[in-house]
Amino acid sequence: MWRGAVERLLRGRGVGSPRAASGSAVAQLRRRLESELEDIRGAGTWKSERIISSRQGPHLRLEGGGAGILNFCANNYLGLSSHPEVIRASVEALEKFGAGLSSVRFICGTQSIHKDLEKKIACFHEREDAILYASCFDANAGIFEALLTPEDAVLSDELNHASIIDGIRLCKANKYRYKHMDMQDLEAKLQDAQKHRLRLVATDGAFSMDGDIAPLREICQLAQKYDALVFIDECHATGFLGPNGRGTDELLGVMDKVTIINSTLGKALGGAAGGYTTGPKPLIDLLRQRSRPYLFSNSLPPAVVGCASKALDLLMESNAIAQSMAAKTQRFRSKMTAAGFTISGKDHPICPVMLGDARLAAVMAEDMLNRGIYVIGFSYPVVPKGKARIRVQISAVHSDEDIDRCVDAFTEVGRKHGALP
């Protein structure tokens, strides 16, 4: 019996058989992919993953013996990823509600903690309702298609996050792209979009690659003038921008003029995972009915919900953590500028050290690690060609000594590689 099976298998691998053709196709694919990967290495834009063997925080241990590494490249803005109360809340939620729901929300994947967190998010942002997603990437993938039709228009900043761009691609609305933070261009596009039923201006609140903040006052004024809605992605603002950490709309005094906010639980708010949309209740109700990433993704694990819920509690109890960011950010930016570096953006804890050359950014980042500073070089396609940089991110749990040590290392490495005179 087994001999017959072997013979059939061998016949199936003969020349011209589908299996042989498949093998040839795989070999061709492998050659093409290996060539493409070699091109990436040759361009100096290869992205390696360093393995961390400790919890997230300002000081890390890297696999292979690197201990006491200063971490300046995480989105752990408020240092809550390792906050003892946040961890305790996560463990309690895990023990009480289990590891996961094994289900999407509308079947049997909604627990009381999910509804409680949604209410808390809406309260924090002073909005009517909120809906949870597995990530903000999913939230951005789910909103535009559900909200906009071919009768509508969406106007997007050209440097919006990839998730906003991908979400807009999925919808059938008329698409306009305006120049980065260029209000004259946005107004021209809004004028052209008057022929459409609904107009939605979509922008990052804070742009993650450049550390600049959208001119929301001007955007909201134009939106009011041309009867448009405003959507902002607050992933790099929620928790620490504004007097109470509510984001760029609070920072710029337009909380009552921004219609829709998407943001993340995976950065300042505990750092685990998850995203959300908050805004008018009818919109949130519609997303529960039609948003595909919500309908077809498992509900957030209870441990993640517990983390985020406690993080929001801490923020709403006191704005001290959020307020501590400003002085630390200013310290780094002013010292780096004095050393001769060009730092993009303004007053944001994302501090891109602009270098231009991809190889230089990669080599300097590696040399920084040799000096105990963990930073990452960013190059094409993450940022435009010719605009490579090392993106430094300040956290509320960095000490002044940590910041000064980072600046000293940058100065030494910059001189070594010709980035400084």
Side-chain angles (χ1 to χ4, degrees):
M1 182 176 179
W2 66 269
R3 286 179 180 173
V6 170
E7 289 173 357
R8 288 193 297 273
L9 179 61
L10 291 174
R11 285 196 302 270
R13 287 183 175 173
V15 176
S17 70
R19 188 177 296 272
S22 176
S24 175
V26 170
Q28 183 181 9
L29 174 65
R30 183 181 294 274
R31 287 192 298 270
R32 184 176 69 79
L33 294 178
E34 287 175 349
S35 175
E36 190 168 338
L37 292 171
E38 191 56 40
D39 289 342
I40 295 173
R41 292 187 184 94
T45 57
W46 183 266
K47 297 161 189 65
S48 300
E49 295 181 359
R50 294 166 181 163
I51 301 173
I52 299 169
S53 56
S54 63
R55 65 178 58 181
Q56 181 64 274
H59 301 86
L60 297 176
R61 183 183 303 107
L62 297 183
E63 190 174 275
I69 302 295
L70 273 177
N71 180 16
F72 276 91
C73 58
N75 294 316
N76 186 23
Y77 292 110
L78 300 178
L80 297 181
S81 295
S82 299
H83 193 287
E85 291 187 49
V86 172
I87 294 172
R88 191 178 308 117
S90 175
V91 172
E92 290 173 357
L94 178 67
E95 291 177 342
K96 182 175 181 180
F97 292 98
L101 277 299
S102 304
S103 176
V104 300
R105 287 281 296 267
F106 80 93
I107 298 178
C108 63
T110 301
Q111 293 174 318
S112 58
I113 53 173
H114 295 100
K115 300 304 292 183
D116 291 343
L117 179 55
E118 287 169 339
K119 291 177 184 176
K120 198 173 291 186
I121 288 168
C123 177
F124 179 72
H125 286 285
E126 299 182 8
R127 297 305 195 275
E128 292 178 13
D129 201 357
I131 179 173
L132 290 171
Y133 287 88
S135 68
C136 190
F137 205 112
D138 277 351
N140 286 340
I143 187 166
F144 301 104
E145 184 182 25
L147 177 63
L148 303 175
T149 74
E151 297 180 67
D152 305 317
V154 57
L155 303 94
S156 174
D157 188 293
E158 65 179 348
L159 293 189
N160 274 341
H161 190 268
S163 59
I164 299 176
I165 295 168
D166 284 359
I168 289 173
R169 283 173 177 164
L170 291 171
C171 79
K172 295 180 180 179
N174 298 274
K175 302 169 180 66
Y176 295 80
R177 186 174 68 172
Y178 63 92
K179 296 175 185 177
H180 181 49
M181 301 200 307
D182 186 326
M183 296 299 95
Q184 287 186 336
D185 193 39
L186 174 58
E187 182 165 20
K189 299 292 195 303
L190 280 167
Q191 289 170 347
D192 189 47
Q194 289 301 292
K195 54 184 177 263
H196 304 298
R197 181 186 64 173
L198 182 151
R199 292 155 296 284
L200 177 69
V201 180
T203 180
D204 277 315
F207 292 84
S208 62
M209 288 299 112
D210 293 288
D212 45 7
I213 296 170
L216 285 184
R217 291 193 189 101
E218 293 80 358
I219 289 173
C220 289
Q221 288 170 0
L222 287 174
Q224 185 173 9
K225 180 178 179 180
Y226 293 100
D227 196 21
L229 305 174
V230 177
F231 161 99
I232 55 174
D233 179 311
E234 289 284 79
C235 286
H236 292 275
T238 299
F240 56 92
L241 287 188
N244 300 290
R246 283 171 168 79
T248 54
D249 61 338
E250 183 189 43
L251 176 72
L252 299 173
V254 291
M255 290 185 71
D256 60 334
K257 295 178 174 61
V258 173
T259 309
I260 307 165
I261 293 173
N262 277 12
S263 194
T264 182
L265 306 173
K267 291 182 172 61
L269 302 184
Y276 58 85
T277 297
T278 185
K281 189 176 187 309
L283 168 66
I284 303 305
D285 289 343
L286 179 69
L287 293 176
R288 293 192 196 281
Q289 303 304 312
R290 290 186 178 173
S291 180
R292 290 164 68 85
Y294 177 82
L295 291 170
F296 296 102
S297 297
N298 269 17
S299 53
L300 274 181
V304 172
V305 177
C307 278
S309 185
K310 176 53 68 174
L312 280 170
D313 287 343
L314 293 171
L315 279 175
M316 289 192 280
E317 287 168 8
S318 170
N319 67 353
I321 302 177
Q323 290 300 302
S324 73
M325 292 295 303
K328 295 176 189 292
T329 298
Q330 179 59 28
R331 186 182 188 91
F332 180 82
R333 283 180 170 271
S334 61
K335 283 179 172 285
M336 286 290 285
T337 301
F341 288 102
T342 298
I343 310 298
S344 180
K346 183 182 178 183
D347 301 332
H348 194 283
I350 291 175
C351 304
V353 183
M354 304 304 292
L355 299 169
D357 182 78
R359 288 181 181 275
L360 177 62
V363 170
M364 281 185 59
E366 194 63 35
D367 232 359
M368 290 287 287
L369 184 61
N370 294 334
R371 288 162 174 76
I373 310 293
Y374 186 4
V375 290
I376 294 292
F378 283 63
S379 56
Y380 181 82
V382 180
V383 296
K385 289 182 179 179
K387 293 190 176 181
R389 81 270 321 254
I390 292 176
R391 189 181 73 173
V392 176
Q393 292 179 254
I394 306 300
S395 171
V397 288
H398 283 133
S399 67
D400 288 348
E401 292 75 16
D402 293 339
I403 292 170
D404 293 349
R405 183 179 157 195
C406 182
V407 173
D408 290 343
F410 259 113
T411 303
E412 182 181 346
V413 171
R415 287 175 180 156
K416 175 183 174 182
H417 294 284
L420 290 178

